[in-house]
Amino acid sequence: MESMSAVLKSGGALFSGAEGVIQAQVRQEDKTPREDRLTVGLPFVDDARMTCRGVSVFYGEKHAINNVSIDVGRNQVLAMIGPSGCGKSTFLRCLNRMNDTVEGCRVVGDIQLDNLNIYDRSVDVVPLRAQVGMVFQKPNPFPKSIYDNVAYGPKIHGLASSRAELDEVVESSLKKAGLWNEVSDRLDQPGTGLSGGQQQRLCIARAIAVRPEVILMDEPCSALDPIATATVEDLISELQEHYTIVIVTHNMQQAARVSQRTAYFHLGDLIEVGSTDRIFTNPRHRLTEDYITGRFG
Amino acid sequence: MWKKGVTLATAAIIFASAAANVSAASGRDYISIVGSSTVYPFATTVAEQFGKTSKFKTPKIESTGSGGGMKLFCAGSDIDTPDITNASRRIKYSEYEKCQKNGVTEIVEVKIGYDGIVLANSKAAAQLSLGKKDIFLALAKEVPDPKGGEKLIANPYTTWKEVNPSLPDSKIEVLGPPPTSGTRDAFVELAMEGGCQQIDWIKARKETDKKHFKSVCHTVREDGAYIEAGENDNLIVQKLEANPKAIGIFGFSFLDQNGDKIQGSVVEGEEPTFENIAAGNYPVSRPLYCYVKKNHVGVVPGMAEFLAEFSSEKAWGEEGYLADKGLIPMPAKERQQFAADVAALKPLLMAK
Amino acid sequence: MLVGKKESTMDRVNRGLARRYRRERWFRLFGLSAIVTSVCFIGLLFVSIGANGWSAFQQTEILLDIHFDTEQFDVDNLSTANYGALVKNSMQTLFPDVAGRSEKRELSKLVSSGAPYILQKMVMQDTGIIGSSQKIWLPADDEVDMFQKGYILRDVMEGDRRLSDKQIGWIDQLFAEGRLEKKFNSTFFTAGDSREPELAGIRGAVAGSLFTLAVTLVLSFPIGVATAVYLEEFAPRNRWTDLVEVNINNLAAVPSIVFGLLGLAVFLNVFGMPRSAPLVGGLVLTLMTLPTIIIASRASLKSVPPSIREAALGVGASKMQAITHHILPLAMPGMMTGTIIGMAQALGETAPLLMIGMVAFIVDVPTAVTDPATVLPVQIYLWADSPERAFVERTSAAIMVLLAFLISMNAMAVFLRRKFERRW
């Protein structure tokens, strides 16, 4: 498998094309040599759920993501790590077009979900976001009851035809999120009254209630205490069976614990991708090694 | 919440436009009156009486000032314009002309009575006896040089005694209406110009340089001795009570209502009493008018009846309810004359 | 680092500490004195208005034995009966000694000139009382009322007061017989305007204010909220929206009379709407309160945490759904507070209404938004300018009513904010 890396490296170069040259001029403060910023490792998989090719993101004049190509494997957890400001969250938010809400944000390149370009003019973001759910850094339940929080998505998408069916969706979602036992007797109480870890699991239940194919998680445990973090991590491992998950994390141990593949981002570039074991035990790229050995970040 | 708001807004717009259409189509079932704030208390009394005793609605009366009323009245002859305007002075030729130009060709002029303008001070102080000349000298911006000669100087007088040795030695402090007021116009014209005329060489100017004569006689001093107290005459009465040295200028009805607190000054030897003003002895009094749009009579319900009420003896007569409100009635003959004119709707003819 | 020959960090901190606390004390003292001063002024205002206006809630009434003589009434035409004579006759029987035309006139003046109309109304409502004798409390004339309340003094010279010595004698006699009493002035709350103080009430003005405010609310709230939502959530940030924003903020500071002139030019002259109507008043006040509502609504939309928006979008809500389901309900308390404050502002406004003819004498209580009407502050202005002394206390009483409305509206704003703000 590792022998393919050389080929892939040239593949990455192929994708960068002429644009890369211009970018090198713009980003003069970056001292890393141009060739060092080509992706190392295995960005592509055979049975991909989402495929990204040559994705660049601009915030006005600022170039936030630079020509990233990567696949998200089916029923896998892909962890994205990297120092602050490396663009991993920005990239994550491209996957369900959450960046559309940011003014002045421009995405170029090709992102496909089940062989359909999600940035295509014909694609509607509303069903897209139902397919690609999202869990945010800070738990953000709606200021409504626990029940309404989970039921909201199915309601607006018309996924439940009756009250009983809706009840069922809520129950199963809460069960999948491992929250049912804790809240089954107080579904009518405000979601904001739960503890931080419970709130985050409620948000996960809310996301899975619309039966997405992919769940994006943006540092879901950064606002939680270690015990709550452990619970959520266990939950991620369980969900992996049915869902494709992309998780951004600051915590390398977390990436190591929950993910099968890990991608390392650095200043807007995807530096290295590979199986989690390989990245943490035998990083190929000097920047990846520096980061996971704690030299910066 | 959102949907409800949208529905409400739509409903409101439909409702508003419907309402506007209805009112435009059906015309008006009440009389609309505008004009002078001096006539307002009398016109409203008649209107109320009319509303109670007749089958018609009570007329609506806006207090817009004489000039403002004329402007609205002369704006046109259609039903949206007022039927009657009140004035504390006679209609000016320019206004008459404007009326004619806008299609208000037939105006009925009704003199309704007189109003005295009084100078009054607190009962705590002595009653003043003023001549018109004293008033002019005390309040004009420029006065003849006291040293003699036909020369005008900025008003040097600070006390009444300086103006006239027979007056008390107290500071000149007069609270009066602002220039926008009809009371002020009448006061300047009757009292100040009257005083002006008593100075021979200025009077002679009237023939040679009328403009200059007017500016000398009509300009009130602005150095703080004359204080513009706003349109609210009640406020002036309250201020007079608090400051016995001050003198106030306002309509007779306010003196009439507050006889226990303030006293009117004698002007040219005449006390400002009901009888004196009615007899025409008190020099600072003015006629009050209302002007009626003839082509609205018969269109707006109750016009003729309202005019009959206004010109009846029980309203504007000597014992009428308007006299209770402080209106000084016209002499009996004049009343008869105007009542007959109103009944016949005799239009006003005005020549330049 | 700082330790050594030089003084220690703690010493330095401690040296400045006293000064820092002194400053804080001064600032607190300053703030406290500002609040105390303003509370004193407000107290003074309330006390002076209350002291002036309290007596207006009572009205002197006279108990008369009215005999509804059958001969006086023509059953087919009840309104033409001489009700004035009924009042005069009953006064006459109370004071049989009074003779002579002028004396009789003085006597009948003790009872309000509105008394005959009260009797007329009674007869119209119930023809059964014709032929009977009734004991009826009728309002006394405003002069009698002022005398009873101590505003007209006995020891003033007779010619200087509006009641003669004889009249005062009659009043004393009536009082001694228990036929003259101060009673609760219900007329003040149930009648429209009148030139007779004892018959004047604020109902017409209150109704006018309510109609005007209803039109204002119905128009300005949805328009204001929709504008705020559009500007905050949909409009692109460019030079045009900047221009719109600057103009909205500007409009909030434009003197209200300008809106009146605009109303006169547009609603009356161009659209031909009726003068003096609450409909036009409401439209003008809508223009005036819109900027306030828009600014408050935008501020409260801004204060909704972006995480809620993201959460909604994240589960696949459309932008409109995110706004109507989540953002608007959260912003609503702030919007309502802004709206109520705008309404309170509109309630106290007179200047723009002057231009569209709502400063007027209107007796009939309005029943629709196109009826001629006036509003509370205008009523206060008109009464304050009336010569009759009894209007002085009524002016203050009307101010008390207006203040009560304002206080309850602002209290409602506080209540709504408390109730809904971050309830979860």
Side-chain angles (χ1 to χ4, degrees), chain C residues 62-121:
Chain C
I62 299 175
L63 182 66
L64 290 180
D65 306 312
I66 305 279
H67 178 58
F68 292 93
D69 193 352
T70 323
E71 283 172 26
Q72 289 267 14
F73 293 96
D74 170 8
V75 185
D76 297 325
N77 205 350
L78 287 171
S79 60
T80 54
N82 191 351
Y83 295 94
L86 295 182
V87 178
K88 276 181 195 153
N89 290 343
S90 72
M91 281 300 269
Q92 201 69 49
T93 45
L94 284 178
F95 300 96
D97 311 340
V98 176
R101 201 171 160 269
S102 71
E103 230 179 58
K104 279 183 182 171
R105 206 172 122 82
E106 270 188 51
L107 178 64
S108 62
K109 267 192 182 175
L110 294 183
V111 185
S112 165
S113 61
Y117 305 107
I118 297 173
L119 298 182
Q120 182 185 347
K121 237 184 178 173

Coordinates of all heavy atoms in Angstrom, one line a residue, chain C residues 62-121:
Chain C
I62 N -75.3 68.5 42.8 CA -76.5 69.1 43.6 C -77.6 68.1 43.5 O -78.0 67.6 42.4 CB -76.9 70.5 43.1 CG1 -75.7 71.4 43.2 CG2 -78.1 71.0 43.8 CD1 -75.9 72.8 42.6
L63 N -78.3 67.8 44.6 CA -79.4 66.9 44.7 C -80.7 67.8 44.4 O -81.0 68.7 45.2 CB -79.5 66.2 46.0 CG -80.7 65.2 46.1 CD1 -80.5 64.1 45.2 CD2 -80.8 64.8 47.6
L64 N -81.4 67.4 43.3 CA -82.6 68.2 43.0 C -83.8 67.2 42.9 O -83.7 66.1 42.5 CB -82.4 68.9 41.6 CG -81.5 70.1 41.6 CD1 -81.4 70.7 40.2 CD2 -81.8 71.1 42.6
D65 N -85.0 67.8 43.3 CA -86.2 67.0 43.2 C -86.8 67.4 41.9 O -87.4 68.5 41.8 CB -87.2 67.3 44.3 CG -86.5 67.1 45.7 OD1 -85.9 66.1 45.9 OD2 -86.6 68.0 46.5
I66 N -86.7 66.6 40.9 CA -87.2 66.9 39.6 C -88.6 66.3 39.4 O -88.7 65.1 39.6 CB -86.3 66.4 38.5 CG1 -84.8 66.9 38.6 CG2 -86.8 66.8 37.1 CD1 -84.6 68.3 38.2
H67 N -89.5 67.1 39.1 CA -90.9 66.6 38.8 C -91.1 66.6 37.3 O -91.1 67.6 36.6 CB -91.9 67.5 39.4 CG -93.3 67.0 39.1 ND1 -93.8 65.8 39.4 CD2 -94.4 67.6 38.5 CE1 -95.0 65.6 39.0 NE2 -95.4 66.7 38.5
F68 N -91.1 65.3 36.7 CA -91.3 65.2 35.3 C -92.8 65.4 35.0 O -93.5 64.4 34.9 CB -90.8 63.8 34.8 CG -89.3 63.7 34.9 CD1 -88.7 63.1 36.1 CD2 -88.5 64.1 33.9 CE1 -87.4 63.0 36.2 CE2 -87.1 64.0 34.0 CZ -86.6 63.4 35.2
D69 N -93.1 66.6 34.8 CA -94.6 66.9 34.6 C -95.1 66.4 33.3 O -94.5 66.7 32.3 CB -94.7 68.5 34.7 CG -96.1 68.9 34.8 OD1 -97.0 68.0 34.7 OD2 -96.4 70.1 35.0
T70 N -96.2 65.6 33.4 CA -96.7 65.0 32.2 C -97.0 66.0 31.1 O -96.8 65.8 29.9 CB -97.9 64.2 32.5 OG1 -97.8 63.6 33.8 CG2 -98.2 63.1 31.4
E71 N -97.5 67.2 31.5 CA -97.9 68.2 30.5 C -96.7 68.7 29.7 O -96.9 69.2 28.6 CB -98.6 69.4 31.3 CG -100.0 69.0 31.7 CD -100.6 70.1 32.5 OE1 -100.1 71.3 32.4 OE2 -101.4 69.8 33.4
Q72 N -95.5 68.6 30.3 CA -94.3 69.1 29.6 C -93.9 68.3 28.4 O -93.2 68.7 27.5 CB -93.2 69.2 30.6 CG -93.3 70.2 31.6 CD -92.6 71.5 31.2 OE1 -92.3 71.7 30.1 NE2 -92.4 72.4 32.2
F73 N -94.4 67.0 28.4 CA -93.8 66.1 27.4 C -94.8 65.7 26.3 O -96.0 65.5 26.5 CB -93.4 64.8 28.1 CG -92.2 65.0 29.0 CD1 -92.4 65.2 30.4 CD2 -90.9 65.1 28.5 CE1 -91.4 65.5 31.2 CE2 -89.9 65.3 29.4 CZ -90.1 65.5 30.7
D74 N -94.3 65.8 25.1 CA -95.0 65.3 23.9 C -94.4 64.0 23.6 O -93.2 63.9 23.3 CB -94.8 66.3 22.8 CG -95.3 65.8 21.5 OD1 -95.9 64.8 21.5 OD2 -95.0 66.5 20.5
V75 N -95.2 62.9 23.8 CA -94.6 61.5 23.7 C -93.9 61.3 22.4 O -93.0 60.5 22.3 CB -95.7 60.5 24.0 CG1 -95.1 59.1 24.1 CG2 -96.4 60.9 25.3
D76 N -94.4 61.9 21.3 CA -93.9 61.6 20.0 C -92.5 62.4 19.8 O -91.8 62.0 18.9 CB -94.9 62.1 18.9 CG -96.1 61.2 19.0 OD1 -96.0 60.1 19.4 OD2 -97.2 61.8 18.8
N77 N -92.3 63.4 20.6 CA -91.1 64.2 20.3 C -90.5 64.5 21.7 O -90.6 65.7 22.1 CB -91.5 65.4 19.5 CG -90.3 65.9 18.8 OD1 -89.2 65.5 19.0 ND2 -90.5 66.9 17.9
L78 N -89.9 63.6 22.2 CA -89.3 63.7 23.6 C -88.2 64.7 23.7 O -87.9 65.3 24.7 CB -88.9 62.4 24.2 CG -90.0 61.4 24.5 CD1 -89.5 60.1 24.9 CD2 -90.8 62.0 25.7
S79 N -87.5 64.9 22.5 CA -86.3 65.7 22.6 C -86.6 67.2 22.6 O -85.7 68.0 23.0 CB -85.4 65.4 21.4 OG -86.1 65.7 20.2
T80 N -87.8 67.6 22.3 CA -88.1 69.0 22.3 C -88.7 69.5 23.6 O -88.9 70.7 23.7 CB -89.2 69.3 21.2 OG1 -90.3 68.5 21.4 CG2 -88.6 69.1 19.8
A81 N -88.9 68.7 24.5 CA -89.4 69.2 25.8 C -88.4 70.1 26.5 O -87.2 70.1 26.2 CB -89.6 68.0 26.7
N82 N -88.9 71.0 27.3 CA -88.1 72.0 27.9 C -87.5 71.5 29.2 O -88.0 71.7 30.3 CB -88.9 73.3 28.2 CG -88.0 74.5 28.5 OD1 -86.8 74.3 28.8 ND2 -88.6 75.6 28.6
Y83 N -86.4 70.8 29.0 CA -85.7 70.2 30.2 C -85.1 71.2 31.1 O -85.0 71.0 32.3 CB -84.7 69.2 29.7 CG -85.3 68.0 29.0 CD1 -85.4 68.0 27.6 CD2 -85.8 66.9 29.7 CE1 -86.0 66.9 26.9 CE2 -86.4 65.8 29.0 CZ -86.5 65.9 27.7 OH -87.0 64.8 27.0
G84 N -84.6 72.3 30.4 CA -84.1 73.4 31.2 C -85.1 73.9 32.3 O -84.7 74.2 33.4
A85 N -86.3 74.0 31.9 CA -87.3 74.5 32.8 C -87.5 73.6 34.0 O -87.8 74.0 35.1 CB -88.7 74.6 32.0
L86 N -87.4 72.2 33.7 CA -87.5 71.3 34.8 C -86.4 71.6 35.9 O -86.7 71.6 37.1 CB -87.2 69.9 34.3 CG -88.2 69.3 33.3 CD1 -87.9 67.9 33.0 CD2 -89.6 69.3 33.9
V87 N -85.2 71.9 35.5 CA -84.1 72.2 36.4 C -84.4 73.5 37.1 O -84.4 73.6 38.4 CB -82.8 72.3 35.7 CG1 -81.7 72.6 36.7 CG2 -82.5 70.9 35.0
K88 N -84.8 74.5 36.3 CA -85.1 75.8 36.9 C -86.2 75.7 37.9 O -86.1 76.3 39.0 CB -85.4 76.8 35.8 CG -84.2 77.4 35.1 CD -84.6 78.4 34.0 CE -83.4 78.7 33.2 NZ -83.8 79.1 31.8
N89 N -87.3 75.0 37.6 CA -88.4 74.9 38.5 C -88.0 74.3 39.8 O -88.4 74.7 40.9 CB -89.5 74.1 37.8 CG -90.1 74.9 36.7 OD1 -90.0 76.1 36.6 ND2 -90.9 74.2 35.8
S90 N -87.2 73.2 39.7 CA -86.8 72.5 41.0 C -85.9 73.4 41.8 O -86.0 73.4 43.0 CB -86.2 71.2 40.7 OG -84.9 71.4 40.2
M91 N -85.1 74.2 41.2 CA -84.3 75.1 42.0 C -85.2 76.2 42.6 O -85.0 76.6 43.7 CB -83.2 75.9 41.0 CG -82.0 75.0 40.7 SD -81.1 74.5 42.1 CE -79.9 75.9 42.3
Q92 N -86.2 76.6 41.8 CA -87.1 77.6 42.3 C -87.8 77.1 43.6 O -88.0 77.9 44.5 CB -88.1 77.9 41.2 CG -88.8 79.2 41.3 CD -87.9 80.4 41.0 OE1 -87.1 80.4 40.1 NE2 -87.9 81.3 41.9
T93 N -88.2 75.9 43.5 CA -89.0 75.4 44.7 C -88.0 75.3 45.9 O -88.5 75.4 47.1 CB -89.5 74.0 44.4 OG1 -88.5 73.2 43.8 CG2 -90.8 74.0 43.6
L94 N -86.7 75.1 45.7 CA -85.8 75.0 46.8 C -85.6 76.4 47.4 O -85.4 76.6 48.6 CB -84.4 74.5 46.4 CG -84.3 73.0 46.2 CD1 -82.9 72.6 45.7 CD2 -84.6 72.2 47.5
F95 N -85.6 77.4 46.6 CA -85.4 78.8 47.0 C -86.6 79.6 46.6 O -86.6 80.4 45.6 CB -84.1 79.4 46.5 CG -82.9 78.6 46.9 CD1 -82.4 77.7 46.1 CD2 -82.3 78.9 48.1 CE1 -81.2 77.0 46.5 CE2 -81.2 78.2 48.5 CZ -80.6 77.2 47.7
P96 N -87.7 79.5 47.3 CA -89.0 80.2 46.9 C -88.9 81.7 47.0 O -89.6 82.4 46.3 CB -90.1 79.7 47.8 CG -89.4 79.0 48.9 CD -87.9 78.7 48.5
D97 N -87.9 82.2 47.8 CA -87.8 83.7 48.0 C -87.2 84.4 46.8 O -87.3 85.6 46.6 CB -86.9 84.0 49.2 CG -87.3 83.2 50.4 OD1 -88.5 82.7 50.4 OD2 -86.5 83.1 51.3
V98 N -86.5 83.6 45.9 CA -85.8 84.3 44.8 C -86.8 84.8 43.8 O -87.6 84.1 43.3 CB -84.8 83.3 44.2 CG1 -84.2 83.9 42.9 CG2 -83.8 82.8 45.2
A99 N -86.6 86.1 43.6 CA -87.5 86.7 42.6 C -86.7 87.6 41.7 O -85.6 87.9 41.9 CB -88.6 87.5 43.3
G100 N -87.4 88.0 40.6 CA -86.7 88.9 39.7 C -85.9 88.1 38.7 O -85.4 87.0 39.0
R101 N -85.8 88.6 37.4 CA -85.3 87.8 36.4 C -83.8 87.5 36.6 O -83.3 86.4 36.4 CB -85.5 88.6 35.1 CG -85.4 87.7 33.8 CD -85.8 88.5 32.6 NE -85.2 87.8 31.5 CZ -84.0 88.1 30.9 NH1 -83.3 89.0 31.4 NH2 -83.6 87.4 29.9
S102 N -83.0 88.6 36.9 CA -81.6 88.4 37.0 C -81.2 87.5 38.2 O -80.3 86.7 38.1 CB -80.9 89.7 37.2 OG -81.1 90.3 38.4
E103 N -82.0 87.6 39.3 CA -81.7 86.7 40.4 C -82.0 85.3 40.1 O -81.2 84.4 40.5 CB -82.6 87.2 41.6 CG -81.7 87.4 42.9 CD -82.5 87.9 44.0 OE1 -83.5 87.2 44.4 OE2 -82.2 88.9 44.6
K104 N -83.1 85.1 39.4 CA -83.5 83.7 39.0 C -82.4 83.1 38.1 O -82.0 81.9 38.2 CB -84.8 83.7 38.2 CG -86.0 83.7 39.1 CD -87.2 83.6 38.3 CE -88.5 83.7 39.2 NZ -89.7 83.9 38.4
R105 N -81.9 84.0 37.2 CA -80.8 83.6 36.3 C -79.6 83.2 37.1 O -79.0 82.1 36.8 CB -80.5 84.8 35.4 CG -79.9 84.4 34.1 CD -79.8 85.6 33.2 NE -78.5 85.8 32.8 CZ -77.9 85.2 31.8 NH1 -78.7 84.4 31.1 NH2 -76.7 85.4 31.5
E106 N -79.2 84.0 38.1 CA -78.1 83.6 38.9 C -78.3 82.3 39.6 O -77.3 81.5 39.7 CB -77.8 84.7 40.0 CG -76.9 85.8 39.5 CD -76.6 86.8 40.6 OE1 -76.2 86.3 41.7 OE2 -76.8 88.0 40.4
L107 N -79.5 82.1 40.1 CA -79.8 80.8 40.8 C -79.6 79.6 39.9 O -79.0 78.6 40.2 CB -81.2 80.9 41.4 CG -81.7 79.7 42.1 CD1 -80.8 79.4 43.3 CD2 -83.1 79.8 42.5
S108 N -80.2 79.8 38.7 CA -80.2 78.6 37.8 C -78.7 78.3 37.3 O -78.4 77.2 36.9 CB -81.1 78.7 36.6 OG -80.7 79.9 35.9
K109 N -77.9 79.3 37.4 CA -76.5 79.1 37.0 C -75.7 78.2 37.9 O -74.6 77.8 37.6 CB -75.8 80.5 36.9 CG -75.9 81.1 35.5 CD -75.0 82.3 35.4 CE -75.0 82.9 34.0 NZ -74.2 84.1 33.9
L110 N -76.2 78.0 39.1 CA -75.5 77.1 40.0 C -75.4 75.7 39.5 O -74.5 74.9 39.8 CB -76.2 77.1 41.4 CG -76.1 78.4 42.2 CD1 -76.8 78.2 43.5 CD2 -74.7 78.9 42.3
V111 N -76.4 75.3 38.7 CA -76.5 73.9 38.1 C -75.8 74.0 36.8 O -75.9 75.0 36.0 CB -77.9 73.4 38.0 CG1 -77.9 72.0 37.6 CG2 -78.6 73.5 39.4
S112 N -75.1 72.9 36.4 CA -74.4 72.9 35.2 C -75.4 73.1 34.0 O -76.5 72.6 34.0 CB -73.7 71.5 35.0 OG -73.3 71.4 33.7
S113 N -74.9 73.7 33.0 CA -75.7 73.9 31.8 C -75.9 72.6 31.1 O -76.8 72.5 30.2 CB -75.1 74.9 30.8 OG -73.8 74.4 30.4
G114 N -75.2 71.6 31.5 CA -75.4 70.3 30.9 C -76.5 69.5 31.5 O -77.0 68.4 31.0
A115 N -77.0 70.0 32.7 CA -78.0 69.2 33.4 C -79.3 68.9 32.6 O -79.7 67.7 32.7 CB -78.4 70.0 34.7
P116 N -79.8 69.8 31.9 CA -81.0 69.5 31.1 C -80.8 68.3 30.1 O -81.7 67.5 29.9 CB -81.3 70.8 30.3 CG -80.7 71.8 31.0 CD -79.5 71.3 31.8
Y117 N -79.6 68.2 29.6 CA -79.3 67.1 28.7 C -79.2 65.7 29.4 O -79.5 64.7 28.8 CB -78.0 67.4 27.9 CG -78.1 68.7 27.2 CD1 -77.4 69.8 27.6 CD2 -79.0 68.9 26.1 CE1 -77.5 71.0 27.0 CE2 -79.1 70.1 25.5 CZ -78.4 71.2 26.0 OH -78.5 72.4 25.4
I118 N -78.8 65.8 30.6 CA -78.8 64.6 31.4 C -80.2 64.1 31.7 O -80.5 62.9 31.5 CB -78.1 64.8 32.8 CG1 -76.6 65.2 32.5 CG2 -78.2 63.6 33.7 CD1 -75.8 65.6 33.7
L119 N -81.1 65.0 32.0 CA -82.5 64.7 32.2 C -83.1 64.2 30.9 O -83.8 63.2 30.8 CB -83.3 65.9 32.6 CG -82.9 66.5 34.0 CD1 -83.8 67.7 34.3 CD2 -83.0 65.4 35.1
Q120 N -82.8 64.8 29.8 CA -83.3 64.4 28.4 C -82.9 62.9 28.2 O -83.7 62.1 27.8 CB -82.7 65.3 27.4 CG -83.2 65.0 26.0 CD -82.5 65.8 24.9 OE1 -81.8 66.8 25.2 NE2 -82.6 65.5 23.7
K121 N -81.6 62.6 28.5 CA -81.2 61.3 28.3 C -81.9 60.3 29.1 O -82.3 59.2 28.6 CB -79.7 61.2 28.7 CG -78.8 60.7 27.5 CD -77.4 60.6 28.1 CE -76.4 60.1 27.2 NZ -75.1 60.2 27.8

